[in-house]
Amino acid sequence: MRHDLVWLSVAGWGAARDRAAPEHRDAILRWQREDWPAIVRRSDADAGPNQVCLGIALPPHQTGIKPRIALRAPASSVVKTAPALALQALLATGPKKWQKKLGALLADSGELTIRVYGSLALQAVTGQTYISPASDIDLLFFPSTLHQLRSGLDLLAWHARSLPLDGEIVFPGGPAVAWREWLRAEASNDRVLVKEQNAVRLAACASLRATLA
């Protein structure tokens, strides 16, 4: 699933380096040496059924540019996977100005599963500096019922008043929609952009609500 964490075998990292641009190979080698995970991204159109499409994001330049490296490796080279990091695991690793407010968000989340990707997660995983004054907090939440969808949207909208929240709703089976876009589409009865493992498409909100209990 998109945003999952993936650890590769030595052969897998080698295959990824072989496919990468020469200027990216040192960064990929460091990722392997530090045993940092790559991130699952949307599959390339020409990727084979036995390949996994991954990416690593380097710390942003002083110019604000965020270097990202696309990788591809044999599926057989995946030695471990994990979902995106749980919010609870990251409360102590983010900027102090966020910690208390993120703790309040977690306390209000109840039965909702909330995970983190993007700058906050990468900084926690690698120990490098990803967070800047312009950084968002990218969250995923996974509703299984209509009640959880509504609760999650209300939760994020409320806490976005004091935190730079962004991120996606992940519906059963993996289709994901930016939660801010969902709120705008609900208000205007418009369609939303849905990101899936193998495609990007437009869909009516009703079709995604129908996947929930």
Side-chain angles (χ1 to χ4, degrees):
M1 184 179 293
R2 292 172 55 252
H3 306 303
D4 280 358
L5 310 180
V6 169
W7 287 261
L8 296 173
S9 66
V10 172
W13 281 117
R17 280 198 312 278
D18 289 344
R19 295 183 60 93
E23 63 268 25
H24 292 156
R25 288 175 184 167
D26 284 348
I28 297 170
L29 186 60
R30 185 186 181 196
W31 231 258
Q32 176 187 356
R33 186 171 60 246
E34 299 287 353
D35 195 31
W36 293 332
I39 312 288
V40 176
R41 60 182 175 88
R42 191 170 67 250
S43 299
D44 298 326
D46 62 343
N50 297 318
Q51 292 180 312
V52 289
C53 293
L54 308 168
I56 60 178
L58 306 184
H61 293 157
Q62 290 182 342
T63 59
I65 295 173
K66 300 178 180 178
R68 289 179 170 84
I69 302 173
L71 308 176
R72 205 186 292 183
S76 59
S77 69
V78 173
V79 297
K80 184 172 68 171
T81 64
L85 298 176
L87 175 58
Q88 185 172 5
L90 300 184
L91 290 183
T93 61
K96 289 185 178 179
K97 65 179 181 180
W98 289 349
Q99 289 177 7
K100 184 175 181 180
K101 295 173 182 178
L102 284 173
L105 188 158
L106 182 64
D108 290 344
S109 64
E111 62 182 3
L112 287 173
T113 299
I114 298 179
R115 298 190 177 275
V116 184
Y117 66 104
S119 298
L120 182 58
L122 286 165
Q123 186 159 304
V125 167
T126 70
Q128 301 181 95
T129 301
Y130 284 84
I131 297 171
S132 72
S135 292
D136 293 323
I137 302 170
D138 296 305
L139 302 179
L140 304 168
F141 82 97
F142 301 78
S144 58
T145 67
L146 290 169
H147 174 71
Q148 288 180 356
L149 173 63
R150 188 73 262 158
S151 296
L153 290 166
D154 290 344
L155 175 76
L156 295 181
W158 173 259
H159 286 276
R161 298 179 180 187
S162 58
L163 286 167
L165 300 183
D166 206 348
E168 299 177 342
I169 313 161
V170 184
F171 289 87
V177 177
W179 66 268
R180 289 184 179 277
E181 181 181 352
W182 181 277
L183 289 176
R184 290 193 295 268
E186 276 192 323
S188 60
N189 196 30
D190 203 355
R191 294 189 296 173
V192 290
L193 185 71
V194 180
K195 296 180 180 179
E196 298 180 300
Q197 188 60 51
N198 297 306
V200 176
R201 60 186 173 89
L202 289 171
C205 293
S207 67
L208 292 163
R209 281 195 293 262
T211 67
L212 304 175

